[in-house]
Amino acid sequence: MEKLKKNEESKALSINRRNFLKIGAATTAMGLIGAVKSSSQVAAAATDTLNYVPGRKSQNSKLHPEHNYGGASVRFVEHNDQWLGTTKIIGTIKNPNEADMGFNLAARGILGDQAKKGVNNFIAKHPFGSSISSGLMFIAGEEAVTGQPAKEKLPIPDPEQMSQHIKDAAYFLRADEVGIGRMPEFAYYSHKTTVPRTKMAAAPVEEWTVPFEEKHPYVIVVMVDQHLETTLASTGYDGISGAQSFKGYHATGNIAVILAQYIRNLGYNARAHHARNYGAVMPPAVIAAGLGELSRTGDSTIHPRMGFRHKVAAVTTDLPLEPDKPIDFGLQDFCRICGKCAENCPGEAITTDRDHVEFNGYLRWNSDMKKCAVFRTTNEEGSSCGRCMKVCPWNSKEDSWFHEAGLWIGSRGEMASSLLKNIDDMFGYGTETIDKYKWWLEWPELYKIQ
């Protein structure tokens, strides 16, 4: 009898893959309803029979066994205290205050009257951008991004297998790339804003910021393509620019909110971070999760295949996970040689310096995010701006073996980078507009600052 009882207990603790995936699908299907209204019953009812069987080691996920790097030669970088990916840390990095982000500086009146007027409408002035932006507001509240985890925790004997499963859940929810990193503590905001931008100029910063304290050891980053053909048809700062941006923000925001709720249903803490409710800045998270390197723009990361042509959201969590390694695909050498984003920036915000300079305890190209914010909020030729995305050789071409070969060349050092840049200029990549892909409506009368 005792032996029979032990066998039954053993069965209960062993993996039941079918039940595990049933629970995963059921929880995910709850979608935004589950995100806004916490439901721990699913996890609580299932933890008696859920566990893991390790899958094939070093597999990214079952749906996407390998990252799609688009032909680039990618090397992996070990985690250490001196570097974040290929970004060298040389001192103490100060956590940023959300109030000091570019658009918030504009809302506070620090970047001039025109930027202050434009910041509240620079996306919404285009009817399509306004539609997407308003959709993201439905998941902006704290009740959507965070909450209490279920009381009963799912045992996680194999963090690597759980990482694969979480990535599969994100790919199922239509992410284009997913990575998991050790969350850099300095990536969290020191303080978070508590009022909309329309009210930021009315009171001192101290009255509408609070310390951000919900911090976790791991970060899951979900990335969505802003759409290649639309990029090819756009100037980068016309009517569709803001909508392209918020298409990515909306998609990644929904994925992050659902993933965070799913993880809480499994009994672990999780907070979603998206464009309408960040608790952290995204570039360090992207680098830590192995999805990009810091670029010449200073504040943005480039993915080996999509370049700038992506938006991300994230989930920070204490769910036991196996972090990916940061990547090195030669971008620092390439950006040092290229400078195409600086040459074509309509706001003259991107530096033409050859080498990195010190900024807040690390080395980077120190572009002027204030100039960037001013142009994007005051642009009267369209909605916001994505010109650097448009012209960057890492994402300005249609998919083909020839262009994949070009990315391979560009990731092989300064001499090869110079060759790719010259070829890129010779063919006019990134500076042309391909009219056959233009599908959106332009409404120039709406682009003027009221």
Side-chain angles (χ1 to χ4, degrees), residues 68-359:
N68 183 356
Y69 294 130
S73 177
V74 176
R75 298 161 290 282
F76 294 95
V77 179
E78 297 296 331
H79 294 277
N80 59 61
D81 295 333
Q82 291 76 47
W83 295 81
L84 178 62
T86 56
T87 302
K88 185 170 179 57
I89 299 171
I90 59 174
T92 301
I93 301 177
K94 183 181 178 182
N95 294 74
N97 188 323
E98 189 180 18
D100 295 330
M101 298 296 100
F103 296 139
N104 293 337
L105 291 178
R108 293 164 58 187
I110 293 174
L111 304 184
D113 290 340
Q114 287 293 89
K116 184 180 177 182
K117 291 177 183 177
V119 72
N120 294 314
N121 198 46
F122 73 110
I123 300 297
K125 62 184 176 181
H126 190 281
F128 196 56
S130 175
S131 302
I132 304 175
S133 177
S134 63
L136 192 54
M137 292 303 296
F138 289 115
I139 56 171
E142 290 296 300
E143 70 278 5
V145 300
T146 191
Q148 293 298 314
K151 292 181 180 179
E152 193 166 357
K153 281 189 176 183
L154 171 71
I156 311 293
D158 189 341
E160 183 177 353
Q161 180 69 7
M162 174 51 90
S163 298
Q164 292 176 12
H165 171 70
I166 288 295
K167 290 179 183 178
D168 274 326
Y171 285 124
F172 171 72
L173 292 170
R174 299 184 180 178
D176 290 312
E177 288 292 347
V178 186
I180 295 172
R182 293 175 181 162
M183 181 61 179
E185 198 283 333
F186 55 76
Y188 286 108
Y189 285 134
S190 64
H191 291 75
K192 185 158 173 53
T193 61
T194 60
V195 298
R197 290 188 181 131
T198 53
K199 297 183 179 181
M200 288 184 177
V205 170
E206 294 76 19
E207 293 185 15
W208 46 266
T209 56
V210 295
F212 184 78
E213 297 176 347
E214 191 176 355
K215 301 176 181 180
H216 305 119
Y218 302 109
V219 60
I220 304 157
V221 178
V222 295
M223 181 177 284
V224 165
D225 194 329
Q226 292 191 51
H227 197 245
L228 173 63
E229 288 77 14
T230 299
T231 301
L232 296 175
S234 171
T235 65
Y237 54 90
D238 48 21
I240 197 61
S241 176
Q244 271 195 274
S245 181
F246 269 80
K247 176 253 189 184
Y249 282 139
H250 186 272
T252 55
N254 278 280
I255 295 169
V257 164
I258 294 170
L259 275 183
Q261 180 61 49
Y262 178 35
I263 292 170
R264 291 194 296 271
N265 285 349
L266 299 179
Y268 296 86
N269 292 293
R271 190 201 195 273
H273 304 258
H274 63 72
R276 284 289 182 247
N277 195 330
Y278 284 124
V281 290
M282 292 294 98
V286 171
I287 297 169
L291 293 181
E293 291 187 61
L294 201 61
S295 70
R296 174 173 285 278
T297 64
D299 291 309
S300 300
T301 57
I302 284 181
H303 181 268
R305 172 173 57 88
M306 288 181 272
F308 287 121
R309 201 188 65 240
H310 67 263
K311 291 297 182 188
V312 303
V315 176
T316 51
T317 181
D318 59 4
L319 177 74
L321 296 170
E322 182 67 28
D324 296 309
K325 292 182 178 181
I327 58 174
D328 175 1
F329 57 99
L331 187 67
Q332 306 312 302
D333 287 338
F334 185 85
C335 284
R336 185 176 291 110
I337 293 298
C338 178
K340 198 165 183 177
C341 57
E343 295 166 9
N344 289 275
C345 176
E348 299 181 350
I350 303 174
T351 181
T352 58
D353 290 348
R354 175 178 171 83
D355 295 315
H356 294 148
V357 297
E358 181 179 356
F359 176 85

